Amino acid sequence: MGEKYQALVARLSEIRNVDRARAILSWDQQVNMPRGGAKARAAQLSTLSRIGHDMLISDETRHLLQDAEKETEDAAYDSVEGSMIRVTKRDVHQATCVPTQLVADITEAEALGHQVWAEARANNNFAAFEPALQRILDLKRQEADFLGFVEHPYDAFLDQYEPGMTASRVKRLFDAHKSELVELVVAVSAHSDRANDAVVRQSYPIDKQRAFGLKMVSNYGYDFERGRQDEAVHPFCITFAQGDVRITTRFTENYLNPALFGTMHEAGHAMYEQGVAPELEGTPLSRGTSLGVHESQSRLWENVVGRSRNFWSWAYPQLQDTFPDQLKAVDLETFYRSINRIAPSYIRVEADEATYNLHIMVRFELEMALVTGALAVHDLPKAWNERFESYLGIVPPTDKEGVLQDIHWSSGLIGYFPTYAVGNMLAAQYYRQALAAHPTIPDEIGQGKFDTLREWMRINIYQHGRKFTADELTQRITGEPVECGYFVDYLKAKYTDIYGL
Ligand code: ZN
């Protein structure tokens, strides 16, 4: 490694330090901070964010980058050096291509938008949110022009969360499995008596929920020497260093699922971050490569493993021991079906595996139309309800349970939703590949052994951090780009069995 390259890495690690300090303040804001700290904290976060941004786009960083690039010209594409230069160039480009004034206008519109949205949602009043959303869309449309795109302005937004993904590819993937999902949900509804969730909706003391969840994800391999769990209203995973990757969970006394599967979900994100190769620590490469790949890991451990019959054949006796009053008289099959009940619902974050992507498709299609102006903001609630009815067969009784439910649009997160669906598809695709390499994995899960699966993920995905894009990674592992077919096969096999279709 040459001198210039080392100087660049040292500079990048300082930038990362500023960024991680900001992350700690943000974690504290969501976990510990009293309400009175909100104003000062917003100012502190914004100061650190500006310092980090200025350091990244400074002449110093750019000169170091140019020098290091010359010095590492011969570095192989998949080497750490080659990847560091490639990813940093991309980061610097993204941070500089949008004029500072527009960035400031967007930040302000988002802050205001979030406030207006929270109030509009509380009052179930979409009209109050309309002007703020229109302003955000106008500014984001300008941002897309600066970010650049080939086919559709939406590509510019997608590219920030899922580099390389385009609107036309998302559309193709969604069109390829939308009707199959709709058919599956309709078929299941004719047999809805085969699964109900009464057993998980009893009273479950929170301290025991916490202990059980922690035990499960420790078995998965989430390393608590390098992590911890706290409570937060909106659960998340956050990384301060490879040795400090934290998760948060929300507990509901009268419903077992949110904390249990939420803990598995966030632990899936955390294991990805903990599994990045130590040599990448402190650099821009030391984190998950895209939101879709990240979500593939949370979904894998939450659903593919955590909602499987094999997993519960091992874990259920322990859960019964933890909650004898609630579960002693409930057999494994009844419990297994209760956590895998499919039923159309209004709220995305509570959706089951089969309806989840349909929720995303509604949002994706509306976002696309909003970005081009084909759909007026004023007509959004009506368009939402129409699509909802055609895909899920139900109409939200209020906008609060419909178009106003998500935080994303008020925070300018256009193009974010498809990454959740991509995560579901990739989880099935990667799992299939892991099984091809190690057919014993399901049996091992049935014995509470998760090492083979986790190690396969670590070697093939985690360790690379951001060295490869989601497409490159998926090609390397599975020999194809992201596909929806494996996800559909997985759902059909599982739910044909559960619902006796
Ligand atoms: Zn997630």
Side-chain angles (χ1 to χ4, degrees), residues 16 47 102 114 198 229 251 259 278 282 299 305 395 468:
R16 177 128 176 122
T47 300
L102 182 57
H114 178 257
Q229 181 194 51
F251 291 93
R299 291 288 177 174
V305 178
V395 180
F468 305 114

Side-chain angles (χ1 to χ4, degrees), residues 99-395:
T100 319
Q101 186 56 49
L102 182 57
V103 174
D105 289 347
I106 291 174
T107 308
E108 199 186 322
E110 289 167 357
L112 183 70
H114 178 257
Q115 208 179 323
V116 172
W117 162 77
E119 216 163 292
R121 186 172 78 151
N123 299 326
N124 188 39
N125 180 4
F126 180 78
F129 179 48
E130 257 183 64
L133 180 57
Q134 186 65 59
R135 167 92 178 135
I136 288 170
L137 285 167
D138 292 345
L139 292 168
K140 293 295 281 184
R141 187 61 182 74
Q142 292 176 42
E143 187 190 29
D145 290 334
F146 286 106
L147 288 167
F149 57 86
V150 178
E151 281 175 27
H152 196 287
Y154 193 87
D155 295 347
F157 305 129
L158 259 180
D159 194 60
Q160 292 179 302
Y161 310 114
E162 205 56 44
M165 186 53 82
T166 62
S168 65
R169 283 180 66 197
V170 171
K171 186 175 181 309
R172 205 164 55 233
L173 285 167
F174 284 2
D175 287 349
H177 74 301
K178 189 192 305 170
S179 59
E180 289 188 277
L181 290 184
V182 171
E183 280 164 26
L184 179 64
V185 174
V186 170
V188 162
S189 67
H191 303 267
S192 57
D193 56 316
R194 305 238 333 162
N196 79 70
D197 60 358
V199 300
V200 287
R201 289 187 182 272
Q202 306 177 76
S203 172
Y204 290 92
I206 285 172
D207 55 337
K208 288 187 180 175
Q209 284 194 44
R210 181 184 294 112
F212 184 81
L214 292 179
K215 190 171 155 194
M216 293 302 108
V217 298
S218 296
N219 276 288
Y220 278 176
Y222 174 35
D223 178 2
F224 280 94
E225 291 293 312
R226 301 187 291 140
R228 56 179 278 137
Q229 181 194 51
D230 293 274
E231 285 183 50
V233 180
H234 303 288
F236 60 94
C237 167
I238 194 163
T239 301
F240 305 138
Q242 286 183 8
D244 190 353
V245 182
R246 304 186 190 185
I247 62 172
T248 64
T249 304
R250 174 179 51 200
F251 291 93
T252 311
E253 165 123 30
N254 293 316
Y255 193 16
L256 186 65
N257 292 8
L260 178 54
F261 295 104
T263 300
M264 292 176 181
H265 181 102
E266 300 306 332
H269 284 303
M271 288 192 288
Y272 186 1
E273 295 279 311
Q274 287 186 334
V276 174
E279 61 175 329
L280 304 180
E281 170 71 325
T283 75
L285 300 183
S286 180
R287 61 179 160 94
T289 189
S290 78
L291 293 184
V293 177
H294 236 300
E295 200 64 10
S296 79
Q297 293 311 301
S298 53
R299 291 288 177 174
L300 175 85
W301 293 100
E302 174 195 358
N303 289 334
V304 180
V305 178
R307 280 188 162 90
S308 69
R309 191 182 263 117
N310 279 352
F311 175 81
W312 285 104
S313 69
W314 166 73
Y316 191 57
Q318 303 171 62
L319 188 69
Q320 282 179 309
D321 285 347
T322 310
F323 299 108
D325 296 345
Q326 294 84 345
L327 297 173
K328 203 163 53 189
V330 179
D331 64 32
L332 171 63
E333 189 60 24
T334 303
F335 177 79
Y336 170 66
R337 290 181 188 191
S338 80
I339 57 168
N340 284 299
R341 173 176 171 265
I342 291 182
S345 61
Y346 305 120
I347 306 296
R348 172 185 58 87
V349 296
E350 295 166 7
D352 56 69
E353 285 182 283
T355 55
Y356 194 93
N357 280 13
L358 293 170
H359 285 257
I360 300 302
M361 291 172 195
V362 168
R363 288 155 176 80
F364 167 71
E365 290 167 13
L366 297 176
E367 281 186 335
M368 290 274 285
L370 285 172
V371 165
T372 56
L375 174 66
V377 170
H378 180 75
D379 299 327
L380 183 55
K382 188 167 166 277
W384 177 287
N385 291 351
E386 283 169 3
R387 276 208 166 63
F388 215 83
E389 181 166 27
S390 94
Y391 299 166
L392 288 136
I394 52 175
V395 180

Side-chain angles (χ1 to χ4, degrees), residues 219-221 271 296-297 299-306 308 311 427-446 448-462:
N219 276 288
Y220 278 176
M271 288 192 288
S296 79
Q297 293 311 301
R299 291 288 177 174
L300 175 85
W301 293 100
E302 174 195 358
N303 289 334
V304 180
V305 178
S308 69
F311 175 81
Q429 197 167 343
Y430 294 156
Y431 185 65
R432 178 177 170 274
Q433 205 63 35
L435 290 194
H438 303 284
T440 54
I441 284 174
D443 290 339
E444 291 178 24
I445 290 174
K449 293 189 182 131
F450 308 98
D451 298 10
T452 308
L453 178 59
R454 194 193 60 254
E455 271 302 287
W456 189 90
M457 292 294 158
R458 187 186 67 76
I459 289 163
N460 287 284
I461 298 173
Y462 303 171

